[in-house]
């Protein structure tokens, strides 16, 4: 009956706070007590493991614990209520310096495909997420809202790896908190490829080429054979590996360059795909910032040669990981 439906809806609505509490409890367990249990009693540190090329694309993977999987900060009405990175604190007299690449995979896509619109955007130092949002919304870049930019961010990162409209819709919700109807996802996908036609053509050619030759490879020649896949040819991986794999090769080169260049007081303590975290003496902070920006930029330029490196790397410092992020 209508009365029962209303009661059921009310019950479900009233369960929302309980669901939030359960989610908070899970996060507290996974990123609170479990991390505390892994503290080394002698060093008072968590000592995770990084595996080189642990992922198919060549990315580092992390375990015991997974220090690449710290959750994003949680905001309620614009107020930060949770940030796990704040619990990683530099020792007295030390600071963290954190540097990451700005839109590394999108720049890699621009370089690989030779898409003129993408290349021009980076040469002009434009925000590619806003460029995409402008195309989707039919607005000038200056008029793009934060929500429209967030949607475009999901579209950019989803479509460069071959998502269809239905998958894009789900990805946008799960990864970026953006709700789209299927027709809106189809429109966004259409406008993306209208804006970046060389990306669409490269994806078509790349998939055909890698399926025909039996493997896909990264810019520096690391190969993945389709015979290693249970179902053979993998369309998404054929598009993903040259881009994400290329950025993974950049990270490997950058790791080596950073390690050689750091002063004695500094140590690389974590690497999260396109982000590097260094601990150093407070007096060496500015020197370390410069080293990270210089060596990370140099590594990127060794793999991707055509795209602009303007504002490619930005370094910050702080007493904990969150402050340095």
């Amino acid at each position: 009956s209508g009365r029962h439906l209303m009661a059921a809806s009310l019950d479900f609505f009233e369960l929302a706070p309980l669901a939030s509490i359960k989610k908070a409890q899970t996060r507290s367990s996974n990123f609170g007590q479990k991390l505390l249990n892994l503290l080394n009693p002698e060093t008072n540190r968590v000592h995770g493991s990084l595996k080189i090329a642990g992922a198919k694309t060549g990315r580092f993977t992390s375990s015991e614990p997974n220090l690449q999987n710290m959750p994003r900060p949680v905001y309620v009405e614009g107020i930060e209520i949770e940030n796990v990175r704040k619990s990683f604190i530099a020792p007295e007299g030390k600071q963290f310096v954190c540097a990451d690449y700005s839109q590394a995979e999108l720049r890699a896509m621009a370089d690989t495909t030779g898409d003129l619109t993408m290349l021009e955007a980076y040469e002009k130092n434009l925000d590619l997420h806003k460029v995409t949002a402008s195309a989707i919304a039919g607005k000038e870049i200056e008029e793009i809202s934060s929500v429209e930019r967030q949607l475009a961010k999901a579209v950019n990162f989803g479509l460069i790896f071959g998502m269809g409209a239905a998958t894009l819709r789900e990805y946008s919700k799960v990864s970026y908190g953006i709700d789209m109807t299927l027709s809106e996802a189809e429109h966004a996908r259409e406008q993306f490829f209208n804006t970046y036609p060389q990306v669409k053509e490269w994806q078509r050619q790349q998939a055909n080429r890698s399926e025909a030759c039996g493997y896909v490879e990264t810019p520096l020649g690391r190969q993945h054979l389709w015979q290693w896949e249970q179902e053979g040819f993998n369309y998404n991986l054929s598009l993903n590996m040259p881009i994400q794999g290329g950025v993974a090769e950049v990270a490997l080169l950058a790791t080596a360059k950073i390690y050689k260049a750091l002063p004695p007081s500094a140590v690389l303590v974590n690497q999260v795909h396109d982000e590097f975290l260094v601990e150093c003496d407070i007096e060496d902070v500015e020197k370390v910032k410069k080293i990270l920006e210089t060596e990370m930029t140099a590594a990127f330029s060794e793999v991707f040669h055509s795209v602009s490196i303007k504002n490619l790397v930005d370094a910050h410092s702080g007493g904990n990981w969150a402050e340095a992020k």
Side-chain angles (χ1 to χ4, degrees):
S1 70
R3 184 178 63 184
H4 290 148
L5 285 173
M6 184 179 295
S9 299
L10 181 59
D11 288 343
F12 182 78
F13 177 78
E14 291 178 344
L15 285 175
L18 296 178
S20 297
I21 292 171
K22 179 63 178 176
K23 185 176 180 180
Q25 288 174 335
T26 300
R27 289 164 71 95
S28 175
S29 172
N30 290 340
F31 303 104
Q33 192 58 49
K34 285 185 179 180
L35 286 177
L36 289 174
N37 292 342
L38 291 170
L39 279 177
N40 184 301
E42 295 184 9
T43 64
N44 201 35
R45 292 172 178 260
V46 174
H47 299 274
S49 297
L50 281 174
K51 184 176 180 181
I52 295 174
K56 288 179 182 180
T57 57
R59 273 183 164 188
F60 287 97
T61 56
S62 176
S63 61
E64 299 176 354
N66 185 352
L67 293 172
Q68 295 180 323
N69 194 37
M70 295 301 106
R72 296 175 180 176
V74 176
Y75 295 88
V76 174
E77 296 182 356
I79 300 174
E80 182 182 281
I81 63 169
E82 177 187 319
N83 192 333
V84 174
R85 287 180 173 85
K86 287 183 177 179
S87 62
F88 293 84
I89 302 169
E92 186 176 353
K94 303 276 188 177
Q95 279 205 333
F96 287 133
V97 178
C98 183
D100 59 11
Y101 287 105
S102 172
Q103 301 179 7
E105 290 176 344
L106 291 174
R107 290 180 196 256
M109 176 61 80
D111 187 279
T112 301
T113 64
D115 188 87
L116 297 178
T117 304
M118 281 190 175
L119 290 172
E120 183 181 16
Y122 285 117
E123 185 60 39
K124 291 182 176 180
N125 203 23
L126 299 177
D127 178 353
L128 197 73
H129 297 319
K130 286 190 175 182
V131 174
T132 301
S134 175
I136 294 172
K139 295 181 178 179
E140 295 297 323
I141 289 179
E142 296 78 14
E143 299 173 348
I144 295 301
S145 69
S146 59
V147 173
E148 289 167 333
R149 184 185 183 276
Q150 186 79 339
L151 183 148
K153 190 174 182 179
V155 171
N156 280 340
F157 288 124
L159 297 188
I160 64 171
F161 298 135
M163 288 183 184
T167 308
L168 174 62
R169 181 188 179 194
E170 181 180 353
Y171 171 74
S172 300
K173 176 63 176 177
V174 172
S175 299
Y176 293 94
I178 296 294
D179 287 308
M180 280 195 289
T181 66
L182 184 58
S183 62
E184 287 171 338
E186 290 170 344
H187 169 76
R189 193 172 185 275
E190 179 182 8
Q191 290 304 108
F192 176 90
F193 288 120
N194 286 341
T195 305
Y196 311 117
Q198 278 116 333
V199 172
K200 182 177 183 178
E201 181 60 20
W202 177 85
Q203 288 187 342
R204 184 188 67 79
Q205 292 182 3
Q206 169 64 15
N208 291 339
R209 180 170 53 247
S210 62
E211 183 176 22
C213 70
Y215 65 88
V216 62
E217 67 180 3
T218 62
L220 298 186
R222 182 172 179 270
Q223 294 183 346
H224 182 86
L225 307 184
W226 298 128
Q227 66 189 42
W228 298 341
E229 294 288 309
Q230 185 175 1
E231 298 181 0
F233 172 70
N234 183 317
Y235 173 77
N236 292 102
L237 187 58
S238 74
L239 306 184
N240 189 354
M241 192 158 179
I243 307 304
Q244 194 175 92
V247 174
E249 289 170 334
V250 168
L252 281 168
L253 286 171
T255 300
K257 290 176 179 291
I258 291 166
Y259 181 81
K260 291 179 181 179
L262 287 176
S265 85
V267 59
L268 183 62
V269 293
N270 200 13
Q271 197 281 330
V272 187
H273 307 315
D274 60 359
E275 173 188 335
F276 292 80
L277 187 68
V278 172
E279 179 186 300
C280 68
D281 289 346
I282 291 176
E283 55 265 31
D284 285 334
V285 163
E286 294 306 315
K287 180 190 295 184
V288 170
K289 283 182 182 179
K290 184 65 176 177
I291 288 170
L292 288 176
E293 291 173 353
T294 299
E295 301 303 337
M296 288 170 66
T297 300
F300 191 90
S301 296
E302 284 189 30
V303 181
F304 301 106
H305 314 293
S306 302
V307 68
S308 173
I309 56 173
K310 293 176 182 177
N311 293 329
L312 174 64
V313 181
D314 195 17
H316 301 276
S317 63
N320 61 59
W321 189 1
E323 289 178 356
K325 176 68 175 163

